[in-house]
Amino acid sequence: TIILTCLFVSLAVADNSDKPFTIVVLSDTQLLEEHLHHMIGCIAAEEPNLILLLGDCIMAEYGIEDQWNKFFDIFNPLWKPPLPGVYAIPGNHDVDSNFTADIVIWRQRWDLPGTELFYSLDKGPVHATGLFVRDWAVSGVNKQWNINGKAKTQLEWFNEDMDNIPPETPWRIIFHHEVGPNYARLSNPIDGYTVPEVSQYVEPKAFEAGVDLILRGHQHLYERTYPINTVTGVRDDTHGVAMITAGGGCTAFRP
């Protein structure tokens, strides 16, 4: 069964506006081009304020240049004003043809903030932080990246980003591809692939930084947690972090 799916998140805005700030979240859009055309049309009609794509935009091993050409052809309407364009983060299928070469191609194809593999942005009432968690032990914790002319690990950058969110920011979001093992009750058992460092580093820091929502993809299903104190693992409806696995953007849901 193929289900056209994306997640619409409406955030209350404390500026006396009658219109909420709307975010579209989708993930795992690879293949099924005819269905994607329809879904992109539905997204465009809603005129969202922010569009987040949680990785696996394409299937790099099927011919990366051809795949990217098709992707941007299909998604092109989302860059036309008044739409905001798409903010994406790499997933495993975006870089699984030739990891090093595929990262170079990603940077050539996307115009994103910062390193373009992980970055943050401020849009309206939202501070959104995108992380590249594929093979985190190499790309996230140990590897040095050139960030504004200074060598840092992604983990160092992430901690600094969390510590420097303006205190008046009403909504704080983290988005990435693969899930961590601690709060993936449905998706973890399916194929056993999670990134332990996400639960070790990202989720606890998110709670400490007052993050409201963590969005992740990779598993083609929908899963949502209660707000959780990710330091203690206890439900916290007042200050906790809610985590959502966003399903598949036109990819078959897992049973």
Side-chain angles (χ1 to χ4, degrees), residues 2-232:
I2 305 304
I3 301 177
L4 305 183
T5 177
C6 58
L7 177 68
F8 286 80
V9 181
S10 293
L11 304 178
V13 182
D15 62 356
N16 299 318
S17 173
D18 294 330
K19 186 177 180 181
F21 187 92
T22 302
I23 304 172
V24 169
V25 182
L26 63 163
S27 183
D28 299 79
T29 57
Q30 68 269 35
L31 305 180
L32 300 173
E33 298 165 32
E34 68 277 18
H35 300 294
L36 276 172
H37 282 289
H38 177 71
M39 187 173 71
I40 296 307
C42 293
I43 293 172
E46 294 293 328
E47 296 188 0
N49 303 100
L50 180 62
I51 303 170
L52 302 177
L53 207 171
L54 311 181
D56 279 7
C57 309
I58 65 165
M59 299 285 283
E61 70 269 31
Y62 288 3
I64 189 167
E65 293 291 359
D66 181 59
Q67 289 276 301
W68 280 125
N69 288 339
K70 290 179 180 178
F71 173 88
F72 284 107
D73 178 63
I74 294 170
F75 277 75
N76 181 60
L78 300 185
W79 272 273
K80 294 180 178 179
L83 294 167
V86 179
Y87 292 90
I89 212 74
N92 54 296
H93 285 302
D94 298 311
V95 293
D96 64 2
S97 173
N98 179 320
F99 186 83
T100 301
D102 292 349
I103 286 175
V104 173
I105 293 173
W106 172 279
R107 285 173 154 161
Q108 292 171 342
R109 289 285 189 160
W110 287 93
D111 181 15
L112 297 166
T115 69
E116 301 189 0
L117 296 169
F118 53 92
Y119 55 90
S120 64
L121 62 118
D122 294 288
K123 186 83 169 177
V126 175
H127 180 87
T129 301
L131 298 175
F132 179 35
V133 301
R134 182 66 177 169
D135 298 323
W136 182 284
V138 175
S139 66
V141 177
N142 299 319
K143 181 175 174 58
Q144 298 284 321
W145 300 87
N146 184 348
I147 303 172
N148 296 324
K150 184 176 181 180
K152 295 180 184 178
T153 67
Q154 182 180 184
L155 183 58
E156 289 172 330
W157 172 87
F158 170 67
N159 287 332
E160 291 176 3
D161 181 76
M162 291 290 100
D163 291 341
N164 289 287
I165 299 174
E168 66 275 11
T169 302
W171 293 100
R172 305 167 186 214
I173 294 173
I174 294 172
F175 62 106
H176 56 79
H177 188 62
E178 292 93 340
V179 299
N182 286 7
Y183 306 105
R185 297 294 184 258
L186 295 178
S187 54
N188 189 6
I190 289 176
D191 61 13
Y193 182 78
T194 58
V195 178
E197 290 84 358
V198 169
S199 290
Q200 182 179 357
Y201 298 115
V202 176
E203 292 163 355
K205 185 65 177 181
F207 177 77
E208 294 174 356
V211 169
D212 303 285
L213 190 61
I214 297 178
L215 302 166
R216 60 268 183 98
H218 186 61
Q219 300 290 7
H220 305 165
L221 50 76
Y222 176 83
E223 180 177 24
R224 175 177 177 173
T225 71
Y226 291 110
I228 297 172
N229 177 329
T230 48
V231 175
T232 64

